[in-house]
mmCIF file of all heavy atoms in Angstrom:
data_model
loop_
_atom_site.group_PDB
_atom_site.id
_atom_site.type_symbol
_atom_site.label_atom_id
_atom_site.label_comp_id
_atom_site.label_asym_id
_atom_site.label_seq_id
_atom_site.Cartn_x
_atom_site.Cartn_y
_atom_site.Cartn_z
ATOM 1 N N GLU J 1 27.847 -53.115 94.661
ATOM 2 C CA GLU J 1 28.530 -51.928 94.143
ATOM 3 C C GLU J 1 29.003 -50.987 95.248
ATOM 4 O O GLU J 1 29.932 -50.202 95.047
ATOM 5 C CB GLU J 1 27.623 -51.164 93.172
ATOM 6 C CG GLU J 1 27.366 -51.900 91.877
ATOM 7 C CD GLU J 1 26.382 -53.086 91.997
ATOM 8 O OE1 GLU J 1 25.600 -53.159 92.994
ATOM 9 O OE2 GLU J 1 26.423 -53.960 91.130
ATOM 10 N N HIS J 2 28.383 -51.064 96.417
ATOM 11 C CA HIS J 2 28.811 -50.204 97.521
ATOM 12 C C HIS J 2 30.260 -50.509 97.931
ATOM 13 O O HIS J 2 30.938 -49.649 98.477
ATOM 14 C CB HIS J 2 27.882 -50.369 98.730
ATOM 15 C CG HIS J 2 26.535 -49.745 98.543
ATOM 16 N ND1 HIS J 2 26.354 -48.389 98.399
ATOM 17 C CD2 HIS J 2 25.299 -50.303 98.491
ATOM 18 C CE1 HIS J 2 25.060 -48.138 98.260
ATOM 19 N NE2 HIS J 2 24.402 -49.279 98.299
ATOM 20 N N GLY J 3 30.727 -51.706 97.630
ATOM 21 C CA GLY J 3 32.112 -52.070 97.957
ATOM 22 C C GLY J 3 33.131 -51.225 97.224
ATOM 23 O O GLY J 3 34.114 -50.753 97.817
ATOM 24 N N MET J 4 32.924 -51.018 95.936
ATOM 25 C CA MET J 4 33.864 -50.173 95.176
ATOM 26 C C MET J 4 33.769 -48.717 95.615
ATOM 27 O O MET J 4 34.773 -48.015 95.647
ATOM 28 C CB MET J 4 33.618 -50.297 93.662
ATOM 29 C CG MET J 4 34.246 -51.506 93.027
ATOM 30 S SD MET J 4 36.027 -51.731 93.291
ATOM 31 C CE MET J 4 36.719 -50.423 92.291
ATOM 32 N N VAL J 5 32.572 -48.277 95.963
ATOM 33 C CA VAL J 5 32.427 -46.907 96.448
ATOM 34 C C VAL J 5 33.187 -46.768 97.774
ATOM 35 O O VAL J 5 33.894 -45.775 97.996
ATOM 36 C CB VAL J 5 30.946 -46.501 96.593
ATOM 37 C CG1 VAL J 5 30.823 -45.094 97.147
ATOM 38 C CG2 VAL J 5 30.228 -46.609 95.247
ATOM 39 N N ALA J 6 33.082 -47.777 98.644
ATOM 40 C CA ALA J 6 33.825 -47.753 99.912
ATOM 41 C C ALA J 6 35.332 -47.684 99.643
ATOM 42 O O ALA J 6 36.050 -46.932 100.302
ATOM 43 C CB ALA J 6 33.489 -48.988 100.745
ATOM 44 N N SER J 7 35.792 -48.446 98.647
ATOM 45 C CA SER J 7 37.230 -48.449 98.353
ATOM 46 C C SER J 7 37.690 -47.092 97.814
ATOM 47 O O SER J 7 38.793 -46.643 98.126
ATOM 48 C CB SER J 7 37.586 -49.566 97.371
ATOM 49 O OG SER J 7 37.275 -49.239 96.036
ATOM 50 N N ASP J 8 36.837 -46.428 97.036
ATOM 51 C CA ASP J 8 37.186 -45.092 96.540
ATOM 52 C C ASP J 8 37.177 -44.076 97.683
ATOM 53 O O ASP J 8 38.038 -43.179 97.724
ATOM 54 C CB ASP J 8 36.234 -44.657 95.436
ATOM 55 C CG ASP J 8 36.494 -45.354 94.109
ATOM 56 O OD1 ASP J 8 37.571 -45.976 93.941
ATOM 57 O OD2 ASP J 8 35.621 -45.288 93.228
ATOM 58 N N TYR J 9 36.231 -44.199 98.608
ATOM 59 C CA TYR J 9 36.247 -43.315 99.781
ATOM 60 C C TYR J 9 37.510 -43.544 100.606
ATOM 61 O O TYR J 9 38.064 -42.610 101.184
ATOM 62 C CB TYR J 9 35.000 -43.490 100.643
ATOM 63 C CG TYR J 9 33.866 -42.574 100.252
ATOM 64 C CD1 TYR J 9 32.682 -43.086 99.750
ATOM 65 C CD2 TYR J 9 33.970 -41.188 100.386
ATOM 66 C CE1 TYR J 9 31.636 -42.253 99.381
ATOM 67 C CE2 TYR J 9 32.934 -40.350 100.022
ATOM 68 C CZ TYR J 9 31.770 -40.881 99.527
ATOM 69 O OH TYR J 9 30.737 -40.041 99.176
ATOM 70 N N ALA J 10 37.983 -44.780 100.670
ATOM 71 C CA ALA J 10 39.235 -45.055 101.379
ATOM 72 C C ALA J 10 40.395 -44.312 100.718
ATOM 73 O O ALA J 10 41.273 -43.773 101.398
ATOM 74 C CB ALA J 10 39.516 -46.559 101.422
ATOM 75 N N ILE J 11 40.377 -44.255 99.391
ATOM 76 C CA ILE J 11 41.408 -43.485 98.673
ATOM 77 C C ILE J 11 41.235 -41.993 98.959
ATOM 78 O O ILE J 11 42.223 -41.268 99.140
ATOM 79 C CB ILE J 11 41.382 -43.785 97.160
ATOM 80 C CG1 ILE J 11 41.747 -45.251 96.894
ATOM 81 C CG2 ILE J 11 42.309 -42.837 96.388
ATOM 82 C CD1 ILE J 11 43.144 -45.662 97.378
ATOM 83 N N LYS J 12 40.012 -41.519 99.032
ATOM 84 C CA LYS J 12 39.794 -40.113 99.389
ATOM 85 C C LYS J 12 40.348 -39.831 100.783
ATOM 86 O O LYS J 12 40.959 -38.775 101.002
ATOM 87 C CB LYS J 12 38.302 -39.769 99.319
ATOM 88 C CG LYS J 12 38.046 -38.297 99.599
ATOM 89 C CD LYS J 12 36.613 -37.910 99.327
ATOM 90 C CE LYS J 12 36.445 -36.401 99.565
ATOM 91 N NZ LYS J 12 35.107 -35.941 99.194
ATOM 92 N N LEU J 13 40.166 -40.763 101.706
ATOM 93 C CA LEU J 13 40.730 -40.609 103.043
ATOM 94 C C LEU J 13 42.257 -40.472 102.952
ATOM 95 O O LEU J 13 42.844 -39.603 103.589
ATOM 96 C CB LEU J 13 40.335 -41.806 103.918
ATOM 97 C CG LEU J 13 40.647 -41.699 105.384
ATOM 98 C CD1 LEU J 13 39.622 -42.476 106.200
ATOM 99 C CD2 LEU J 13 42.017 -42.230 105.711
ATOM 100 N N ILE J 14 42.873 -41.322 102.141
ATOM 101 C CA ILE J 14 44.332 -41.256 101.933
ATOM 102 C C ILE J 14 44.719 -39.905 101.333
ATOM 103 O O ILE J 14 45.687 -39.282 101.760
ATOM 104 C CB ILE J 14 44.808 -42.419 101.030
ATOM 105 C CG1 ILE J 14 44.626 -43.760 101.737
ATOM 106 C CG2 ILE J 14 46.256 -42.222 100.571
ATOM 107 C CD1 ILE J 14 45.425 -43.940 103.014
ATOM 108 N N ASN J 15 43.959 -39.452 100.328
ATOM 109 C CA ASN J 15 44.230 -38.145 99.706
ATOM 110 C C ASN J 15 44.190 -37.030 100.738
ATOM 111 O O ASN J 15 45.000 -36.095 100.675
ATOM 112 C CB ASN J 15 43.203 -37.831 98.611
ATOM 113 C CG ASN J 15 43.299 -38.702 97.362
ATOM 114 O OD1 ASN J 15 42.413 -38.652 96.524
ATOM 115 N ND2 ASN J 15 44.333 -39.496 97.224
ATOM 116 N N LEU J 16 43.251 -37.097 101.672
ATOM 117 C CA LEU J 16 43.139 -36.065 102.711
ATOM 118 C C LEU J 16 44.239 -36.172 103.753
ATOM 119 O O LEU J 16 44.794 -35.172 104.184
ATOM 120 C CB LEU J 16 41.780 -36.161 103.402
ATOM 121 C CG LEU J 16 40.569 -35.784 102.554
ATOM 122 C CD1 LEU J 16 39.281 -36.233 103.240
ATOM 123 C CD2 LEU J 16 40.544 -34.282 102.307
ATOM 124 N N LYS J 17 44.522 -37.399 104.149
ATOM 125 C CA LYS J 17 45.516 -37.633 105.214
ATOM 126 C C LYS J 17 46.945 -37.401 104.709
ATOM 127 O O LYS J 17 47.795 -36.924 105.465
ATOM 128 C CB LYS J 17 45.352 -39.056 105.747
ATOM 129 C CG LYS J 17 46.080 -39.304 107.027
ATOM 130 C CD LYS J 17 45.615 -40.597 107.675
ATOM 131 C CE LYS J 17 46.516 -40.927 108.815
ATOM 132 N NZ LYS J 17 45.920 -40.971 110.086
ATOM 133 N N TYR J 18 47.192 -37.731 103.450
ATOM 134 C CA TYR J 18 48.536 -37.598 102.848
ATOM 135 C C TYR J 18 48.406 -36.864 101.516
ATOM 136 O O TYR J 18 48.519 -37.489 100.450
ATOM 137 C CB TYR J 18 49.155 -38.981 102.629
ATOM 138 C CG TYR J 18 49.187 -39.846 103.864
ATOM 139 C CD1 TYR J 18 48.235 -40.840 104.063
ATOM 140 C CD2 TYR J 18 50.141 -39.648 104.858
ATOM 141 C CE1 TYR J 18 48.242 -41.642 105.190
ATOM 142 C CE2 TYR J 18 50.169 -40.446 105.999
ATOM 143 C CZ TYR J 18 49.215 -41.429 106.155
ATOM 144 O OH TYR J 18 49.224 -42.216 107.284
ATOM 145 N N PRO J 19 48.160 -35.563 101.546
ATOM 146 C CA PRO J 19 47.928 -34.812 100.292
ATOM 147 C C PRO J 19 49.061 -34.986 99.277
ATOM 148 O O PRO J 19 50.236 -34.908 99.624
ATOM 149 C CB PRO J 19 47.852 -33.359 100.761
ATOM 150 C CG PRO J 19 47.542 -33.424 102.218
ATOM 151 C CD PRO J 19 48.147 -34.703 102.721
ATOM 152 N N LYS J 20 48.651 -35.263 98.041
ATOM 153 C CA LYS J 20 49.570 -35.386 96.898
ATOM 154 C C LYS J 20 50.645 -36.459 97.064
ATOM 155 O O LYS J 20 51.671 -36.415 96.393
ATOM 156 C CB LYS J 20 50.212 -34.028 96.600
ATOM 157 C CG LYS J 20 49.213 -32.965 96.176
ATOM 158 C CD LYS J 20 49.930 -31.667 95.841
ATOM 159 C CE LYS J 20 49.076 -30.679 95.203
ATOM 160 N NZ LYS J 20 48.082 -29.959 95.781
ATOM 161 N N ASP J 21 50.423 -37.418 97.949
ATOM 162 C CA ASP J 21 51.395 -38.495 98.159
ATOM 163 C C ASP J 21 50.926 -39.747 97.415
ATOM 164 O O ASP J 21 50.178 -40.563 97.948
ATOM 165 C CB ASP J 21 51.570 -38.775 99.649
ATOM 166 C CG ASP J 21 52.733 -39.716 99.940
ATOM 167 O OD1 ASP J 21 53.174 -40.446 99.016
ATOM 168 O OD2 ASP J 21 53.202 -39.729 101.091
ATOM 169 N N HIS J 22 51.368 -39.861 96.173
ATOM 170 C CA HIS J 22 50.936 -40.986 95.324
ATOM 171 C C HIS J 22 51.387 -42.325 95.895
ATOM 172 O O HIS J 22 50.701 -43.343 95.715
ATOM 173 C CB HIS J 22 51.455 -40.793 93.900
ATOM 174 C CG HIS J 22 50.832 -41.723 92.914
ATOM 175 N ND1 HIS J 22 49.501 -41.671 92.572
ATOM 176 C CD2 HIS J 22 51.349 -42.785 92.227
ATOM 177 C CE1 HIS J 22 49.215 -42.621 91.706
ATOM 178 N NE2 HIS J 22 50.318 -43.319 91.481
ATOM 179 N N SER J 23 52.513 -42.347 96.617
ATOM 180 C CA SER J 23 52.986 -43.612 97.196
ATOM 181 C C SER J 23 51.991 -44.156 98.222
ATOM 182 O O SER J 23 51.815 -45.372 98.334
ATOM 183 C CB SER J 23 54.369 -43.449 97.818
ATOM 184 O OG SER J 23 54.310 -42.643 98.988
ATOM 185 N N LYS J 24 51.305 -43.270 98.938
ATOM 186 C CA LYS J 24 50.290 -43.716 99.916
ATOM 187 C C LYS J 24 49.052 -44.248 99.201
ATOM 188 O O LYS J 24 48.423 -45.189 99.685
ATOM 189 C CB LYS J 24 49.914 -42.563 100.856
ATOM 190 C CG LYS J 24 51.033 -42.153 101.778
ATOM 191 C CD LYS J 24 51.353 -43.253 102.768
ATOM 192 C CE LYS J 24 52.356 -42.786 103.795
ATOM 193 N NZ LYS J 24 52.703 -43.854 104.751
ATOM 194 N N VAL J 25 48.720 -43.671 98.052
ATOM 195 C CA VAL J 25 47.609 -44.183 97.243
ATOM 196 C C VAL J 25 47.955 -45.595 96.765
ATOM 197 O O VAL J 25 47.121 -46.513 96.856
ATOM 198 C CB VAL J 25 47.312 -43.247 96.052
ATOM 199 C CG1 VAL J 25 46.314 -43.883 95.079
ATOM 200 C CG2 VAL J 25 46.803 -41.892 96.536
ATOM 201 N N LEU J 26 49.171 -45.780 96.261
ATOM 202 C CA LEU J 26 49.606 -47.102 95.803
ATOM 203 C C LEU J 26 49.563 -48.115 96.947
ATOM 204 O O LEU J 26 49.094 -49.243 96.777
ATOM 205 C CB LEU J 26 51.019 -47.031 95.230
ATOM 206 C CG LEU J 26 51.233 -46.180 93.985
ATOM 207 C CD1 LEU J 26 52.711 -46.130 93.617
ATOM 208 C CD2 LEU J 26 50.401 -46.680 92.828
ATOM 209 N N GLU J 27 50.045 -47.687 98.099
ATOM 210 C CA GLU J 27 50.058 -48.547 99.282
ATOM 211 C C GLU J 27 48.625 -48.985 99.642
ATOM 212 O O GLU J 27 48.371 -50.160 99.926
ATOM 213 C CB GLU J 27 50.699 -47.783 100.435
ATOM 214 C CG GLU J 27 50.952 -48.567 101.687
ATOM 215 C CD GLU J 27 51.623 -47.695 102.742
ATOM 216 O OE1 GLU J 27 52.649 -47.049 102.441
ATOM 217 O OE2 GLU J 27 51.094 -47.643 103.867
ATOM 218 N N GLU J 28 47.706 -48.032 99.630
ATOM 219 C CA GLU J 28 46.311 -48.341 99.983
ATOM 220 C C GLU J 28 45.669 -49.263 98.951
ATOM 221 O O GLU J 28 45.008 -50.251 99.318
ATOM 222 C CB GLU J 28 45.492 -47.061 100.132
ATOM 223 C CG GLU J 28 44.019 -47.296 100.422
ATOM 224 C CD GLU J 28 43.747 -48.076 101.695
ATOM 225 O OE1 GLU J 28 44.570 -48.074 102.629
ATOM 226 O OE2 GLU J 28 42.675 -48.716 101.766
ATOM 227 N N ARG J 29 45.828 -48.962 97.664
ATOM 228 C CA ARG J 29 45.229 -49.839 96.639
ATOM 229 C C ARG J 29 45.830 -51.245 96.720
ATOM 230 O O ARG J 29 45.107 -52.230 96.595
ATOM 231 C CB ARG J 29 45.414 -49.258 95.236
ATOM 232 C CG ARG J 29 44.442 -48.176 94.873
ATOM 233 C CD ARG J 29 43.010 -48.671 94.776
ATOM 234 N NE ARG J 29 42.124 -47.600 94.313
ATOM 235 C CZ ARG J 29 40.835 -47.542 94.576
ATOM 236 N NH1 ARG J 29 40.241 -48.499 95.261
ATOM 237 N NH2 ARG J 29 40.113 -46.535 94.139
ATOM 238 N N ASN J 30 47.124 -51.340 96.959
ATOM 239 C CA ASN J 30 47.747 -52.667 97.087
ATOM 240 C C ASN J 30 47.218 -53.399 98.311
ATOM 241 O O ASN J 30 47.008 -54.622 98.265
ATOM 242 C CB ASN J 30 49.274 -52.549 97.114
ATOM 243 C CG ASN J 30 49.845 -52.365 95.721
ATOM 244 O OD1 ASN J 30 49.464 -53.064 94.787
ATOM 245 N ND2 ASN J 30 50.748 -51.423 95.579
ATOM 246 N N TRP J 31 46.979 -52.672 99.414
ATOM 247 C CA TRP J 31 46.384 -53.291 100.599
ATOM 248 C C TRP J 31 44.993 -53.828 100.255
ATOM 249 O O TRP J 31 44.645 -54.958 100.613
ATOM 250 C CB TRP J 31 46.289 -52.277 101.754
ATOM 251 C CG TRP J 31 45.735 -52.889 103.004
ATOM 252 C CD1 TRP J 31 46.436 -53.464 104.016
ATOM 253 C CD2 TRP J 31 44.342 -53.042 103.350
ATOM 254 N NE1 TRP J 31 45.577 -53.961 104.977
ATOM 255 C CE2 TRP J 31 44.279 -53.716 104.576
ATOM 256 C CE3 TRP J 31 43.148 -52.685 102.730
ATOM 257 C CZ2 TRP J 31 43.076 -54.020 105.224
ATOM 258 C CZ3 TRP J 31 41.948 -52.993 103.358
ATOM 259 C CH2 TRP J 31 41.919 -53.648 104.583
ATOM 260 N N GLN J 32 44.189 -53.013 99.564
ATOM 261 C CA GLN J 32 42.833 -53.415 99.195
ATOM 262 C C GLN J 32 42.844 -54.672 98.328
ATOM 263 O O GLN J 32 42.068 -55.612 98.566
ATOM 264 C CB GLN J 32 42.114 -52.284 98.468
ATOM 265 C CG GLN J 32 41.808 -51.083 99.336
ATOM 266 C CD GLN J 32 41.204 -49.926 98.560
ATOM 267 O OE1 GLN J 32 40.832 -50.051 97.405
ATOM 268 N NE2 GLN J 32 41.084 -48.777 99.220
ATOM 269 N N ILE J 33 43.719 -54.689 97.330
ATOM 270 C CA ILE J 33 43.825 -55.858 96.439
ATOM 271 C C ILE J 33 44.294 -57.087 97.226
ATOM 272 O O ILE J 33 43.718 -58.178 97.093
ATOM 273 C CB ILE J 33 44.778 -55.559 95.255
ATOM 274 C CG1 ILE J 33 44.149 -54.493 94.340
ATOM 275 C CG2 ILE J 33 45.105 -56.831 94.478
ATOM 276 C CD1 ILE J 33 45.128 -53.870 93.354
ATOM 277 N N GLY J 34 45.314 -56.910 98.041
ATOM 278 C CA GLY J 34 45.842 -58.026 98.839
ATOM 279 C C GLY J 34 44.806 -58.604 99.783
ATOM 280 O O GLY J 34 44.664 -59.828 99.892
ATOM 281 N N LYS J 35 44.057 -57.745 100.460
ATOM 282 C CA LYS J 35 43.028 -58.197 101.396
ATOM 283 C C LYS J 35 41.913 -58.931 100.648
ATOM 284 O O LYS J 35 41.416 -59.965 101.106
ATOM 285 C CB LYS J 35 42.468 -57.008 102.171
ATOM 286 C CG LYS J 35 41.422 -57.366 103.202
ATOM 287 C CD LYS J 35 41.870 -58.383 104.227
ATOM 288 C CE LYS J 35 42.842 -57.854 105.226
ATOM 289 N NZ LYS J 35 43.161 -58.842 106.302
ATOM 290 N N LEU J 36 41.533 -58.417 99.484
ATOM 291 C CA LEU J 36 40.476 -59.086 98.709
ATOM 292 C C LEU J 36 40.949 -60.445 98.210
ATOM 293 O O LEU J 36 40.189 -61.429 98.277
ATOM 294 C CB LEU J 36 40.013 -58.191 97.547
ATOM 295 C CG LEU J 36 38.778 -58.654 96.788
ATOM 296 C CD1 LEU J 36 37.603 -58.961 97.720
ATOM 297 C CD2 LEU J 36 38.377 -57.598 95.765
ATOM 298 N N LYS J 37 42.179 -60.531 97.745
ATOM 299 C CA LYS J 37 42.728 -61.836 97.312
ATOM 300 C C LYS J 37 42.744 -62.830 98.475
ATOM 301 O O LYS J 37 42.414 -63.997 98.319
ATOM 302 C CB LYS J 37 44.146 -61.656 96.751
ATOM 303 C CG LYS J 37 44.168 -61.077 95.357
ATOM 304 C CD LYS J 37 45.599 -60.934 94.868
ATOM 305 C CE LYS J 37 45.636 -60.405 93.450
ATOM 306 N NZ LYS J 37 47.049 -60.193 92.986
#
């Protein structure tokens, strides 16, 4: 379960680095999915 928490913290990092930039959130989640696949 720590893996999903890590992935959510990665999104928090994106939220901090690129405030209110939903495209960066999409980019990060797609990276996470692609790497896991």
Side-chain angles (χ1 to χ4, degrees):
E1 291 74 19
H2 288 295
M4 279 306 289
V5 178
S7 79
D8 286 345
Y9 270 115
I11 295 300
K12 184 171 183 174
L13 190 149
I14 293 297
N15 291 170
L16 291 167
K17 194 166 170 118
Y18 307 100
K20 297 183 170 72
D21 190 341
H22 192 66
S23 69
K24 293 293 187 181
V25 171
L26 296 175
E27 187 179 308
E28 177 60 25
R29 280 294 185 205
N30 281 314
W31 182 92
Q32 292 175 10
I33 292 165
K35 181 56 73 174
L36 189 51
K37 283 180 178 177

